[in-house]
Amino acid sequence: MPESLAIDGGTPVRTATWPAMFPGGTEYGEEEKRAAIEVIEAQSPFRYYGTNLLKKVDQLEAAYARYVGTRFALATHSGSTALSVAIAALGVGPGTEVILPAFMWIADVNAVIHLRGIPVLAEIDETLNLDPADIEKRITKRTKAIVAVHMAGSVADMPAIKAVADKHGIPVLEDCSQAAGASIDGHVVGSMGAIGTVSLQYNKNFTTGEGGMITTSDDVLFRRAICFHDGGFERDMQGVSIPRDSPFETWGMGARMDELRGAVGLVQLGKLPDIVRRMRGHQLRLREALGKLPGIHLRRLVDPNEDSGAYFTWLHDTTDAAERFTTALKAEGIPVSPPHGGIHQYRHMSNLLKNVPVTTEGCPWTCPFNKESPMEYNASMLPRSNSLLDRARLISLPPSLTEQDEDDIIRAFRKVARVVLG
Ligand SMILES: Cc1ncc(COP(=O)(O)O)c(C=O)c1O
């Protein structure tokens, strides 16, 4: 006789609340406090000069470039501005297209549209990230960049994406915001494409509350990024303003990081490997324990031993099975949800994409330079992505998860699977 499910009046596996999923934020402690106080006591919160400049942002950039394995890193005040700066550095503008996955964050598309480029949406695969096999048919002579967004903790199939991109000479931007600390075969996210970005917003694997970083090993992209992020002005490689004409000077934005974030970010970066190690440990155990249950298909991880580990993610055979399983598992006290709570950016923004311009003249949609670009957007244009996202479910795995928490997931999962999928 199987145990009665909580939805049928049985006893739930768990009633205790789930630990909060702010992987970097819940690790804040004395070190972050001391780092912030040091900057306040130095009375020098601006990165480029001050009465007693501690150069915390410089140190964060150097440490992050070392960690990721790129020649350069540039700190910004958010992941969104990191994207806007990186997209600008790549030369996106009127008459260009950028290929992006169906499952991404709205900032990826914002960055393209603000510069009057055209977002071209592509399917995802079982990694829930950009499908390398779907890119080629969307490439045109106007394609300026491909954006691989490493969503919900896990890395897109970068070797396969790079193979297609390299064949066509198109740079890849990696948005690593949701997968900081992950890697493929020792290559850390942010080092595999021409340029990478990461958000340090509160939900992320390491955090300054708000913040972002750009990584690249390309001198020209780096110099352009420096200008775009700082009002358009050129600075030299040490960050000093260069008062002369420069081929990199442009119309830029104000996206500099401040020293308080730099100081806290440096401490958090030091904690990132341990945060990821712990989340990865939870994920490996759950994948091992639950991956072979009938009707459960694990999300494909390109390198399962080097994931960021932030989520345990699987797919059901049908949307109906996913919904029934979710309702029953939640009743057992396990906080399961569809990716991004079911708000899949491309589907929910397809009205915006069709109807809302960024200027009163209707740009980028009406821009004459864009008239050859595909601009058909609707919520069912990427059926495979819709099916994958509707059938996918995930459980967040905060670093602080205990063995008891993992045991609860395993017990509840098996209990529900026996009845609902059995
Ligand atoms: C994939 C992705 N890209 C970009 C961003 C934007 O970062 P921010 O919130 O720091 O502007 C986020 C964050 O929410 C994200 O998840």
Side-chain angles (χ1 to χ4, degrees):
M1 220 358 222
E3 222 183 325
S4 309
L5 297 185
I7 38 163
D8 297 328
T11 311
V13 165
R14 171 190 179 103
T15 50
T17 52
W18 204 251
M21 184 57 177
F22 300 111
T26 48
E27 299 294 310
Y28 268 34
E30 276 307 312
E31 301 95 329
E32 284 83 354
K33 194 159 101 187
R34 270 202 307 276
I37 288 171
E38 211 190 329
V39 172
I40 290 166
E41 287 178 348
Q43 299 184 326
S44 296
F46 181 63
R47 71 162 297 181
Y48 287 129
Y49 45 80
T51 53
N52 178 19
L53 183 57
L54 301 175
K55 298 204 167 194
K56 293 290 186 180
V57 179
D58 280 12
Q59 292 172 51
L60 171 62
E61 289 173 343
Y64 191 61
R66 230 177 4 255
Y67 175 75
V68 171
T70 50
R71 289 176 60 214
F72 311 115
L74 179 70
T76 60
H77 62 214
S78 75
S80 299
T81 47
L83 274 166
S84 291
V85 168
I87 287 282
L90 287 166
V92 173
T96 68
E97 295 163 13
V98 177
I99 297 174
L100 303 125
F103 186 38
M104 39 59 191
W105 179 245
I106 200 158
D108 296 294
V109 172
N110 280 335
V112 175
I113 291 183
H114 284 165
L115 283 160
R116 322 295 195 255
I118 297 295
V120 173
L121 301 174
E123 295 274 18
I124 58 169
D125 62 14
E126 282 73 16
T127 64
L128 302 185
N129 290 318
L130 185 60
D131 179 0
D134 193 58
I135 298 173
E136 201 142 34
K137 63 171 177 281
R138 302 187 192 270
I139 292 176
T140 72
K141 61 182 188 310
R142 298 173 297 280
T143 308
K144 199 71 173 174
I146 295 166
V147 180
V149 191
H150 306 311
M151 290 296 283
S154 302
V155 191
D157 190 343
M158 283 304 293
I161 291 170
K162 280 267 294 159
V164 179
D166 288 351
K167 190 169 127 197
H168 294 270
I170 300 170
V172 178
L173 184 161
E174 288 178 81
D175 181 351
C176 315
S177 298
Q178 297 193 12
S183 53
I184 297 177
D185 212 8
H187 301 286
V188 177
V189 290
S191 69
M192 292 177 272
I195 193 162
T197 63
V198 71
S199 162
L200 308 186
Q201 180 267 344
Y202 185 42
N203 290 88
K204 307 306 189 295
N205 293 348
F206 74 119
T207 183
T208 52
E210 296 278 9
M213 304 291 295
I214 297 170
T215 46
T216 184
S217 291
D218 182 303
D219 288 275
V220 172
L221 287 177
F222 183 57
R223 299 299 282 259
R224 288 161 89 161
I226 289 174
C227 291
F228 277 115
H229 109 296
D230 187 15
F233 294 116
E234 172 70 311
R235 288 187 189 264
D236 68 12
M237 301 309 243
Q238 282 71 47
V240 178
S241 287
I242 308 172
R244 62 170 166 78
D245 284 343
S246 146
F248 303 108
E249 269 185 349
T250 185
W251 303 107
M253 61 178 84
R256 295 176 305 252
M257 182 182 273
D258 60 277
E259 287 284 287
L260 278 162
R261 286 193 182 95
V264 173
L266 198 55
V267 174
Q268 281 272 297
L269 178 59
K271 293 183 177 181
L272 180 63
D274 183 59
I275 290 172
V276 166
R277 182 190 59 75
R278 284 148 65 201
M279 296 195 298
R280 201 179 272 166
H282 309 316
Q283 189 197 55
L284 284 168
R285 178 169 177 221
L286 295 173
R287 283 174 70 89
E288 178 67 33
L290 303 171
K292 293 192 183 68
L293 290 178
I296 299 292
H297 312 282
L298 296 180
R299 177 184 190 180
R300 182 166 89 82
L301 303 183
V302 181
D303 189 338
N305 293 316
E306 297 184 14
D307 198 73
S308 89
Y311 296 93
F312 172 55
T313 309
W314 69 95
L315 287 101
H316 290 275
D317 290 317
T318 63
T319 307
D320 182 55
E323 278 166 9
R324 282 184 293 117
F325 192 83
T326 302
T327 310
L329 198 58
K330 271 188 182 162
E332 300 297 337
I334 306 297
V336 53
S337 75
H340 268 195
I343 302 172
H344 305 133
Q345 296 295 335
Y346 112 79
R347 251 190 286 180
H348 291 85
M349 73 168 91
S350 57
N351 267 344
L352 270 182
L353 284 166
K354 272 192 303 189
N355 300 321
V356 181
V358 76
T359 69
T360 47
E361 296 76 19
C363 303
W365 318 117
T366 55
C367 172
F369 293 103
N370 289 334
K371 64 179 185 298
E372 285 175 54
S373 290
M375 292 190 213
E376 278 305 310
Y377 302 103
N378 65 67
S380 50
M381 65 188 281
L382 298 168
R384 200 149 45 85
S385 303
N386 290 352
S387 163
L388 286 162
L389 292 167
D390 287 344
R391 291 183 290 115
R393 290 296 182 269
L394 48 80
I395 297 171
S396 59
L397 304 174
S400 61
L401 217 64
T402 61
E403 207 173 318
Q404 180 62 55
D405 297 325
E406 293 174 0
D407 290 346
D408 288 348
I409 297 175
I410 293 169
R411 212 182 113 215
F413 216 88
R414 287 183 176 147
K415 179 180 168 188
V416 170
R418 244 189 324 266
V419 179
V420 175
L421 308 176

